[in-house]
Amino acid sequence: MDLLLDVDVAVDSCIGRQPWCDAVDRALAECVKEGGRLWLYAGSVQTLDHRVRWALERAQAAEPEPLSTRQLAERATALLKGFTADKHWLAALAGEGPVFDSPDPEHEQLLLALDRFAPGSIQLLTRDEDLLNDHPEACVSPEVFSQQPAAEIGIGFVDLKTQQDALRPQLEQRIHCVLHHGQYILGPEVVELERRLAAYTGAKHCISAASGTDALLISLMALGIGPGDEVITTPFTFVATVEVIVLVGATPVFVDIEPGTCNIDARLIEAKISDNTKAIMPVSLYGQPADMDAINAIAARHGNLPVIEDAAQSFGAEYRGNKSCNLSTIGCTSFFPSKPLGGYGDGGAIFTSDDDLAQACREIRVHGQSARYIHGRIGIGGRMDSLQCAVVLANLERFDQDIVQRQAVAQRYHQMLQPLMEKTAEKAGEKMGTDPVFDLLPWPAPDRTSVFAQYSLLVQERDGLQARLKQAGIPTAVHYPMPMNQQPAYTHVCCPECTPVAAAISARIMSLPMHPHLSAAEQRRIVEAFAAATSSD
């Protein structure tokens, strides 16, 4: 449960005002302990400053040498800086509501601000009796809040809320800039994001797109791939990889995957190349690049086939010192909210160092337009809007830190699960013909890194295990439950038996919660629940 602080309780805690400060401090500490956030309303800044000064002045009235007005102001400023340092600011929005219809506009603002949050997720902490009596469902006193039973803190599969908390000032500033300049399509945020992402990857060009799917589609169109052509790819991926190949009229040709990385097995690609092959599209799954040097070498041997890296999950990862998205002819990524670098909606980007391809991609994303209302190509409406670029720019500020934290979370999972895996494998060995309850995917090879978009492992009896973990409050996911050549829309493309490793992996793969803010304590809870759930198998 979050708390929005009334000005009076904020002053109580800020200056240690008796007799109320002890109860207020207990309530604030309890809120934080339970994983809640403490909010201050930005529209109350002047009132808060005035009340702190007034309270300090009253408190020192009996002092033989009271502080001067300037000293009081300095003291108030120092106290407020310290008090607000760990609080979240709730923006004062234009037109929050008819506050002047209320006898107390300031309290009316606070009550209306609560409506921005999910029902039951926040209360107004106050000691104002009128508020407590008139709005008992929205308001709570410090004493009552401290006595409420603690709710168990749930574990999310991803945690965008904590990420947003860390970046709220930057997010709000950038979003407000867009609202004020009004250039919602191809505005300055689009230009800035493309420039900064190109510099980040080392690619010469970055072309933003409406989604990761559109980025792939535009890339295929820019290469002129269409009916009668074949594109080699992996069957173990999100549907968008294969979908775009079919949408341009080409045929996906599936190559099986490596059991350790779940990425396309480069050793098997050459056997699938034909006269109709026009591109190779590897996927850097779970945040780890495929063996791109081997794939590029095969492409070079066969007439410099273009290679399109589907890096929807791997932006920020490295392969032999180079960034994902700058490992081949074209790289494409996604800014879907749950991705390592995400927005708050759909978005994506194309990366290339080929000038002609970059120009083609830019034209295709605006309906094939080379000049206003001059259309030299078939195109789509595939632009990423300025608001989404603004969000991604804010998230980019701490992206490298997020990668480090994701890798640390994955390392802790490995360290916690390794002894459990060995123990269960030993038990399985004692039972002839019994497979291990679960297996860990190997840690990335020394020549590459992973940004761990997911943390996945291989399990037996997946449905039952997921059900038991759900009952224990642990969310899981399956990336992905069947290879593309077993999906109803694509069974005609390739026989389901042609990729046995992908079929075997898809039957066992399961992902645990993964995000950069997952604490060691939360991971212990997850692993303990996993151990209990697997012990019954």
Side-chain angles (χ1 to χ4, degrees):
M1 175 72 71
D2 287 4
L3 289 175
L4 175 60
L5 309 188
D6 187 7
V7 169
D8 282 333
V9 298
V11 174
D12 294 341
S13 180
C14 179
I15 69 170
R17 183 164 60 181
Q18 294 293 348
W20 304 285
C21 63
D22 291 342
V24 172
D25 288 344
R26 281 195 298 271
L28 302 189
E30 191 65 29
C31 176
V32 173
K33 179 183 175 183
E34 294 181 16
R37 298 172 293 180
L38 302 174
W39 294 90
L40 294 169
Y41 188 64
S44 299
V45 169
Q46 288 178 307
T47 305
L48 185 59
D49 178 62
H50 172 76
R51 296 275 185 87
V52 167
R53 294 190 192 196
W54 176 80
L56 288 174
E57 188 174 6
R58 286 196 65 186
Q60 67 149 13
E63 296 292 330
E65 295 184 12
L67 298 176
S68 67
T69 301
R70 179 177 178 179
Q71 289 172 322
L72 275 174
E74 291 173 349
R75 175 64 175 155
T77 299
L79 287 170
L80 283 167
K81 280 184 177 180
F83 176 72
T84 61
D86 60 348
K87 310 299 186 294
H88 299 280
W89 287 102
L90 187 62
L93 301 183
E96 188 90 63
V99 295
F100 292 111
D101 292 342
S102 167
D104 191 330
E106 183 177 351
H107 281 160
E108 188 66 18
Q109 280 185 311
L110 296 177
L111 291 167
L112 289 169
L114 297 177
D115 292 339
R116 300 186 216 168
F117 294 78
S121 67
I122 189 169
Q123 289 180 297
L124 176 62
L125 189 72
T126 182
R127 53 182 175 83
D128 185 284
E129 292 297 333
D130 289 337
L131 279 173
L132 292 167
N133 291 330
D134 294 343
H135 305 279
E137 73 293 339
C139 301
V140 64
S141 69
E143 293 80 6
V144 170
F145 183 84
S146 298
Q147 294 167 7
Q148 290 178 161
E152 185 175 351
I153 302 173
I155 292 176
F157 191 77
V158 296
D159 185 2
L160 299 180
K161 185 178 81 168
T162 302
Q163 178 198 64
Q164 187 181 104
D165 288 345
L167 293 165
R168 183 170 295 277
Q170 298 95 316
L171 284 165
E172 290 183 350
Q173 184 179 29
R174 283 197 172 272
I175 289 171
H176 278 238
C177 281
V178 177
L179 295 177
H180 285 292
H181 67 56
Q183 298 178 57
Y184 304 113
I185 303 298
L186 297 179
E189 290 75 17
V190 178
V191 176
E192 181 184 355
L193 181 65
E194 291 180 347
R195 175 181 57 79
R196 291 184 61 181
L197 293 181
Y200 185 88
T201 62
K204 187 176 181 180
H205 302 282
C206 170
I207 305 95
S208 59
S211 67
T213 304
D214 276 0
L216 292 170
L217 179 62
I218 291 168
S219 299
L220 290 172
M221 294 173 71
L223 290 167
I225 293 172
D229 295 335
E230 294 177 352
V231 177
I232 291 175
T233 192
T234 167
F236 194 62
T237 180
F238 180 63
V239 68
T241 312
V242 181
E243 183 177 58
V244 293
I245 298 170
V246 176
L247 283 173
V248 297
T251 300
V253 175
F254 295 117
V255 170
D256 211 352
I257 61 174
E258 300 171 333
T261 65
C262 299
N263 285 327
I264 192 168
D265 191 334
R267 298 168 302 175
L268 305 178
I269 290 175
E270 207 149 16
K272 294 294 185 80
I273 293 177
S274 73
D275 292 341
N276 296 323
T277 303
K278 295 299 185 288
I280 303 172
M281 190 185 290
V283 176
S284 295
L285 200 67
Y286 302 152
Q288 177 180 191
D291 192 355
M292 296 301 292
D293 280 0
I295 295 168
N296 289 332
I298 293 167
R301 288 198 296 270
H302 291 268
N304 289 319
L305 290 169
V307 176
I308 306 169
E309 181 196 11
D310 182 345
Q313 299 177 13
S314 63
F315 186 83
E318 294 186 2
Y319 173 86
R320 297 181 180 174
N322 295 311
K323 293 285 189 184
S324 178
C325 289
N326 187 29
L327 301 175
S328 56
T329 317
I330 297 176
C332 298
T333 196
S334 166
F335 302 125
F336 189 76
S338 60
K339 293 293 191 286
L341 179 62
Y344 291 158
D346 277 316
I350 303 159
F351 299 84
T352 185
S353 294
D354 185 301
D355 294 344
D356 292 337
L357 280 176
Q359 183 61 30
C361 289
R362 289 194 179 96
E363 292 177 6
I364 292 167
R365 76 169 173 182
V366 272
H367 304 283
Q369 182 174 269
S370 56
R372 189 163 179 81
Y373 300 137
I374 304 299
H375 305 271
R377 306 173 186 272
I378 303 298
I380 64 172
R383 297 163 297 198
M384 185 174 175
D385 64 67
S386 301
L387 278 168
Q388 287 305 327
C389 288
V391 173
V392 175
L393 279 166
N395 285 330
L396 188 60
E397 295 299 325
R398 55 170 291 136
F399 179 56
D400 284 338
Q401 180 182 344
D402 282 351
I403 291 176
V404 171
Q405 290 178 217
R406 281 180 175 274
Q407 291 168 339
V409 169
Q411 186 69 58
R412 284 200 300 266
Y413 266 139
H414 245 57
Q415 291 170 349
M416 291 178 180
L417 288 167
Q418 185 75 34
L420 181 61
M421 183 185 72
E422 293 170 357
K423 183 178 178 181
T424 56
E426 186 178 321
K427 286 184 178 179
E430 294 171 357
K431 299 178 182 179
M432 297 298 293
T434 303
D435 292 326
V437 175
F438 76 96
D439 292 292
L440 298 178
L441 294 176
W443 193 256
D447 66 350
R448 67 198 76 177
T449 66
S450 176
V451 292
F452 289 97
Q454 285 86 30
Y455 185 86
S456 301
L457 66 170
L458 303 173
V459 301
Q460 301 288 348
E461 305 289 339
R462 184 174 61 203
D463 290 348
L465 177 58
Q466 284 189 286
R468 292 190 291 277
L469 287 170
K470 182 179 180 180
Q471 191 172 21
I474 308 301
T476 58
V478 177
H479 304 98
Y480 297 95
M482 65 176 71
M484 285 298 108
N485 50 337
Q486 292 182 9
Q487 292 282 359
Y490 302 101
T491 51
H492 67 284
V493 174
C494 172
C495 64
E497 298 80 21
C498 292
T499 55
V501 178
I505 294 289
S506 65
R508 296 187 60 198
I509 201 76
M510 187 185 80
S511 300
L512 296 175
M514 165 54 77
H515 55 81
H517 309 288
L518 198 63
S519 69
E522 288 173 318
Q523 285 188 272
R524 282 193 293 272
R525 181 178 157 193
I526 292 166
V527 173
E528 286 169 4
F530 184 84
T534 53
S535 66
S536 60
D537 282 335

